[in-house]
Amino acid sequence: MNKQHNEQIPAGKNALSRKDPGEAPHRAWRILIVDSDPRVHDDTLEALRGTLIANRPLTVLHAYSTAQAYDILDQEKEIAAVLLSTTIEAGDASLHLIKAIREELGLQDLRIILHAKHACNIPQIDAINRYDISACKTAAELTPIELHAALSAAIHAYRHIHAINLGRDGLNMIVQASADFMTVHGLSRCAAGVTTQLAALMGISPEGLVCAQEDIAEHGNLIVIAAAGRYANQISQPLTTIDHAGIRDLLQRSLRERRNLYAEHGTTLFFQGNGYRDVAAYLESGAHLDHFARNLLHTFCTNIAAGFQNAALFSKLQTIAYNDPLSRLPNRFHFVNQINLKLRSPERNKYSLALLDIDHFAETNDALGHNLGDRLLQAIAQRLKSSLYDDVIIARTAGDTFGLLGPSVHLTPSNLTGQFQEPFAIDDEEVLVSVTIGLLNLSDTGNNGSDALKEANIALKRAKQHRRGEVSYYTREMGVEIQERVKLLQALRHAFDNDKLFLVYQPQINLSTGNVVGVEALIRWRTDDGKMVPPGRFIPLAEHSGLIVSIGEWVLRVACLQQARLARQGFGHIRIAINVSVSQFRHPRFPFVLRRALENSGADPRCIELEITESMAMEDADTILHTFAKIKKTGITLAIDDFGTGFSSLSYLQRLAVDRLKIDRSFINELTTSERGAQIPEVVIQLGQRLGLQIVAEGVEEASQAERLRELGCHEAQGYYFGRPMEVPVLMEWLNTHQVQPV
Ligand code: C2E
Ligand code: CA
Ligand code: CA
């Protein structure tokens, strides 16, 4: 900074006005004289001595060259007007300065008054328009009165333009903040911005404005709803956080006594709430506020007060929308938002997402009762909250699933399972639970929180598939696999719609006579390029998607038609076994679908057997029992497939009135290979004899196996040793060369 620049006019000496003691210096209008002639500076000062414009004095800055003027304008703030000599330097120097003021420095509010020695030094009209020059006067014209008039007009213009621009900035801030205006945070930001603008507009220091009202949440307490400068951080905080006792007292009293109060350090204005809570605004020097400023402040305060009331309601709504009332943890929505935030942070790769699913919660819930089940969930939430690190976010994402989001170093499998080592005390009961965990590193996912949660769920399902109590990390391969499954499912739908599925039939043999007693219908899918997709791959997909209901209906229809056709061709005693999935069985229309398939085909119900797997039979016992009781009347028989792999209750099997047990292939494999291999088939066969059930052995591949089974008393067998699953023409040939035993 140069010498002249510092030469600001001190009060009483060069100052041109009477100054109120204690008045902030920037309350004076600042003008800059740009002239190389020191006499012009002196004369101007003299002419303006004592001048007040809009009740405010003037402060004059001096520049003796255009370069110096440029520096001052670049560094000083809020200069209202420049008095510039057109002949300060040779050529167009003054015009260059004006151009720089408007274009480089971007000072649009600043008013420019030109004065020229002679009329011929006055610039062209278009320059005057282009650069928004307020006045051009020759030396002869510029009498002290003229100067005063020109300056007064320029400063009034400056004031209005400046106010408009400030208002526009304030408006911008409000618009920017309005996206989250319904939150206290957004409101605070907005209030801080507007208060700053307001302070500037009213010509008070931004430090000197604090607005307070009664806290909506805590009756009797006051909160700061708007403040500027030093106190801006206190917005939405209790009034007690303002460190100035004088300000606190004045605001409290004003609200209590419902009136304006004046003190030496400032003024407090009371605004009645009009349906909202009352507001009090503290101003460092309120005495100078004119009517306009008071109105402005009133409007602002009541709006902000209303905003705070709305924000309080909104935050209540948010609490409801984003929190789980049972566990008092964030819910799924909130959790997804948090994941989204984390995914956008630069340190996302250091974070993990875990889903903890309580094993067998449904059973525990049934055993404990729902009330205690809820308490168990609360206890788990509480333990996770208190024993995990603070930077781990915990949410309840589904009935018995908790979601955790935090640094990967904290969300290790051992850390997580470690939380469940000790039992939970529910009333006097000690409940020990285990969890299955799906984990996902945020580095392994895209940018979408809800996708990330889905992927963690994939990992969780994978862990459950293996064994409960397991932990599984999500890998991109899992995602690829899911995509492939989706593609396969689409292809399956297409194949089904275009009749690309067909049935094959595998013979079942009576072991004591060697005769054929039945066939099992097995589905086949040959793709357009001739490849076979094994049912072990597409049936689970069809089950998962619900497509199995339609496919199963088709299988029933075709198999029944085939039974009727076999009967017509002289094989009327051959039983056809049809595999039925649990979702098919559960479907309320199933008995109807079955009856219709029987009626439409003319099949003999006594020669139709349904196979359901053991695990499935146990899964939904009541429904199966109910449905089967209905269809049993038709004469249809029931076989339990894959017997020995599940956990059947024998009494339940009896109630189901099962006709046949199919010993799972895995036991047949071991039959002749190990000494103890015959144990399970032996037990099953004895069991069957005792319960009056027929036993079928599956997957018999060798004569020795068939022989051993016969010795053990097994009734029937099925497997490659006797015959592979065959398409109908091959089957017919096969049947013609094999003996068929009447039932
Ligand atoms: P499953 O009901 O246990 O069917 C027996 C499976 O063992 C069949 O496999 C059959 O081809 C195979 N198999 C038969 N004998 C032998 C043998 O000696 N050795 C060996 N290693 N395997 C033998 P497939 O046809 O691949 O069917 C697999 C599973 O797909 C079936 O198991 C059944 O659960 C399901 N499935 C097949 N067709 C249908 C259907 O129409 N509906 C439903 N819901 N499921 C079906
Ligand atoms: Ca089967
Ligand atoms: Ca089986």
Side-chain angles (χ1 to χ4, degrees):
M1 260 192 231
N2 51 53
K3 185 170 162 275
Q4 285 83 351
H5 183 200
N6 281 338
E7 192 189 298
Q8 202 149 17
I9 305 165
K13 189 178 161 222
N14 285 5
L16 301 166
S17 70
R18 174 180 53 78
K19 286 197 84 191
D20 290 338
E23 186 148 49
H26 75 261
R27 297 239 324 129
W29 302 116
R30 287 147 68 80
I31 64 169
L32 174 65
I33 300 175
V34 188
D35 204 308
S36 55
D37 183 352
R39 277 174 311 166
V40 173
H41 287 257
D42 291 343
D43 293 349
T44 313
L45 280 181
E46 193 51 43
L48 294 175
R49 181 175 295 279
T51 300
L52 283 180
I53 296 175
N55 273 331
R56 286 163 66 176
L58 303 177
T59 299
V60 179
L61 306 170
H62 302 272
Y64 297 88
S65 67
T66 52
Q68 200 183 12
Y70 183 91
D71 285 346
I72 293 174
L73 288 164
D74 188 23
Q75 282 156 27
E76 290 288 332
K77 296 221 158 36
E78 293 191 14
I79 294 177
V82 172
L83 279 170
L84 172 62
S85 159
T86 56
T87 48
I88 181 168
E89 279 148 29
D92 283 342
S94 58
L95 266 187
H96 286 309
L97 176 64
I98 295 170
K99 188 167 190 274
I101 288 173
R102 296 292 190 225
E103 289 171 7
E104 282 169 38
L105 298 174
L107 298 172
Q108 307 299 340
D109 308 353
L110 179 77
R111 299 295 87 203
I112 298 170
I113 298 170
L114 290 180
H115 60 93
K117 286 214 172 75
H118 308 288
C120 61
N121 302 122
I122 287 186
Q124 304 289 318
I125 295 282
D126 69 322
I128 291 175
N129 286 338
R130 186 161 4 120
Y131 296 120
D132 187 16
I133 291 164
S134 300
C136 290
K137 304 280 176 192
T138 60
E141 286 169 336
L142 212 58
T143 62
I145 290 176
E146 270 297 330
L147 174 66
H148 188 277
L151 206 56
S152 176
I155 283 177
H156 276 109
Y158 165 80
R159 186 191 187 189
H160 288 127
I161 294 169
H162 191 60
I164 287 167
N165 285 343
L166 279 183
R168 194 172 39 215
D169 288 351
L171 213 57
N172 263 337
M173 290 177 80
I174 297 168
V175 169
Q176 274 166 19
S178 68
D180 54 355
F181 199 64
M182 289 305 266
T183 65
V184 169
H185 173 70
L187 202 63
S188 307
R189 220 170 35 175
C190 177
V194 180
T195 324
T196 313
Q197 301 303 331
L198 209 62
L201 272 181
M202 297 189 305
I204 54 170
S205 120
E207 303 297 336
L209 184 59
V210 180
C211 307
Q213 75 171 150
E214 197 176 84
D215 193 346
I216 293 156
E218 281 178 71
H219 198 70
N221 286 349
L222 301 184
I223 56 159
V224 177
I225 59 166
R230 185 152 47 98
Y231 296 124
N233 286 338
Q234 255 87 359
I235 295 178
S236 86
Q237 301 292 314
L239 182 64
T240 46
T241 57
I242 300 276
D243 58 10
H244 191 307
I247 299 180
R248 287 199 310 264
D249 292 348
L250 219 54
L251 283 166
Q252 273 161 351
R253 270 184 50 214
S254 169
L255 281 167
R256 199 170 50 237
E257 297 169 17
R258 302 173 64 79
R259 63 188 181 95
N260 298 341
L261 291 174
Y262 302 92
E264 216 168 282
H265 55 83
T267 304
T268 300
L269 299 177
F270 173 80
F271 301 118
Q272 207 175 328
N274 297 337
Y276 296 105
R277 274 152 215 272
D278 299 338
V279 189
Y282 169 87
L283 298 132
E284 212 158 54
S285 57
H288 300 289
L289 282 192
D290 57 20
H291 182 67
F292 166 77
R294 269 180 188 241
N295 265 343
L296 197 63
L297 193 61
H298 187 172
T299 310
F300 167 70
C301 282
T302 42
N303 277 320
I304 282 291
F308 261 77
Q309 191 139 327
N310 288 340
L313 282 177
F314 187 73
S315 92
K316 218 182 214 172
L317 282 178
Q318 272 201 320
T319 313
I320 296 169
Y322 289 106
N323 283 283
D324 164 45
L326 177 73
S327 62
R328 292 173 180 273
L329 291 176
N331 63 12
R332 192 175 174 281
F333 292 119
H334 189 221
F335 194 53
V336 169
N337 285 346
Q338 294 297 318
I339 304 170
N340 274 327
L341 285 180
K342 205 45 96 198
L343 285 174
R344 272 181 237 129
S345 88
E347 59 201 7
R348 56 175 272 167
N349 291 350
K350 292 188 198 142
Y351 277 75
S352 284
L353 166 61
L355 284 181
L356 269 64
D357 189 89
I358 317 292
D359 294 337
H360 307 293
F361 181 74
E363 287 95 318
T364 314
N365 211 13
D366 287 342
L368 291 176
H370 286 240
N371 194 10
L372 293 191
D374 284 354
R375 303 253 294 282
L376 175 62
L377 289 174
Q378 285 165 343
I380 293 170
Q382 194 50 44
R383 181 176 298 172
L384 290 175
K385 250 199 299 196
S386 59
S387 54
L388 284 170
Y389 297 84
D390 284 347
D391 49 6
V392 176
I393 295 167
I394 305 161
R396 183 167 168 233
T397 55
D400 59 345
T401 311
F402 292 91
L404 309 177
L405 176 70
S408 307
V409 287
H410 295 161
L411 296 185
T412 59
S414 61
N415 246 352
L416 295 174
T417 50
Q419 306 297 322
F420 296 86
Q421 228 96 90
E422 299 289 320
F424 293 87
I426 310 293
D427 278 353
D428 294 333
E429 299 245 21
E430 296 234 307
V431 185
L432 195 58
V433 297
S434 64
V435 285
T436 306
I437 300 170
L439 268 161
L440 163 85
N441 280 318
L442 293 196
S443 53
D444 288 331
T445 185
N447 291 322
N448 183 303
S450 96
D451 286 351
L453 199 59
K454 273 188 206 141
E455 288 160 354
N457 226 340
I458 291 172
L460 176 64
K461 283 205 178 129
R462 183 59 60 96
K464 278 193 200 168
Q465 269 167 13
H466 288 168
R467 189 158 44 87
R468 289 191 177 255
E470 287 256 331
V471 181
S472 150
Y473 272 96
Y474 174 81
T475 58
R476 296 224 180 232
E477 290 75 58
M478 286 185 197
V480 170
E481 203 185 300
I482 298 272
Q483 278 170 7
E484 277 170 6
R485 287 175 52 162
V486 169
K487 266 194 220 150
L488 193 66
L489 181 60
Q490 280 169 345
L492 176 61
R493 279 216 166 88
H494 187 257
F496 179 56
D497 290 344
N498 291 283
D499 293 327
K500 293 288 161 62
L501 302 180
F502 59 98
L503 295 185
V504 290
Y505 299 87
Q506 184 178 34
Q508 295 176 328
I509 308 296
N510 179 313
L511 279 173
S512 39
T513 62
N515 287 341
V516 186
V517 287
V519 288
E520 180 181 2
L522 293 160
I523 197 164
R524 292 292 175 265
W525 171 16
R526 190 182 289 121
T527 58
D528 289 342
D529 50 7
K531 279 195 205 118
M532 300 299 291
V533 185
R537 257 196 94 195
F538 69 83
I539 290 290
L541 267 188
E543 284 175 343
H544 210 74
S545 64
L547 186 58
I548 195 67
V549 175
S550 318
I551 293 182
E553 190 174 336
W554 172 83
V555 171
L556 271 176
R557 224 171 39 232
V558 174
C560 285
L561 281 169
Q562 188 56 41
Q563 196 286 323
R565 196 182 300 159
L566 281 177
R568 285 199 297 276
Q569 292 173 337
F571 301 104
H573 302 296
I574 289 189
R575 183 179 73 219
I576 294 195
I578 303 167
N579 292 286
V580 178
S581 292
V582 73
S583 39
Q584 245 179 299
F585 221 100
R586 263 204 219 118
H587 200 285
R589 283 182 69 243
F590 182 70
F592 168 75
V593 166
L594 181 64
R595 203 170 338 117
R596 197 175 55 182
L598 289 169
E599 284 167 9
N600 289 353
S601 62
D604 179 356
R606 291 170 302 163
C607 288
I608 297 293
E609 179 156 277
L610 302 183
E611 288 190 9
I612 59 172
T613 60
E614 185 184 18
S615 50
M616 178 179 111
M618 293 301 121
E619 201 175 284
D620 203 353
D622 287 346
T623 321
I624 307 276
L625 213 73
H626 181 73
T627 308
F628 204 72
K630 269 194 196 166
I631 56 184
K632 186 81 188 173
K633 292 186 199 127
T634 57
I636 278 179
T637 55
L638 180 66
I640 299 294
D641 207 348
D642 302 345
F643 191 77
T645 56
F647 307 93
S648 302
S649 127
L650 292 179
S651 65
Y652 170 66
L653 288 184
Q654 264 186 320
R655 275 167 65 211
L656 253 187
V658 168
D659 300 275
R660 230 173 300 277
L661 300 180
K662 295 187 83 177
I663 309 177
D664 191 63
R665 194 165 69 220
S666 54
F667 304 114
I668 308 305
N669 271 339
E670 290 171 24
L671 198 63
T672 49
T673 50
S674 78
E675 254 180 48
R676 300 177 59 211
Q679 267 178 0
I680 288 178
E682 202 174 338
V683 170
V684 175
I685 291 161
Q686 281 172 11
L687 186 89
Q689 284 165 351
R690 213 160 295 157
L691 293 176
L693 302 176
Q694 294 269 311
I695 306 296
V696 187
E698 288 190 294
V700 177
E701 295 183 350
E702 288 159 21
S704 59
Q705 292 168 336
E707 185 52 29
R708 186 87 184 90
L709 285 162
R710 203 180 53 81
E711 282 166 16
L712 291 171
C714 181
H715 310 105
E716 297 171 358
Q718 172 186 352
Y720 295 167
Y721 172 65
F722 303 105
R724 295 204 167 234
M726 293 166 267
E727 289 189 51
V728 174
V730 186
L731 175 74
M732 296 318 293
E733 245 170 68
W734 192 91
L735 286 176
N736 282 323
T737 55
H738 289 75
Q739 285 198 292
V740 179
Q741 187 194 45
V743 182

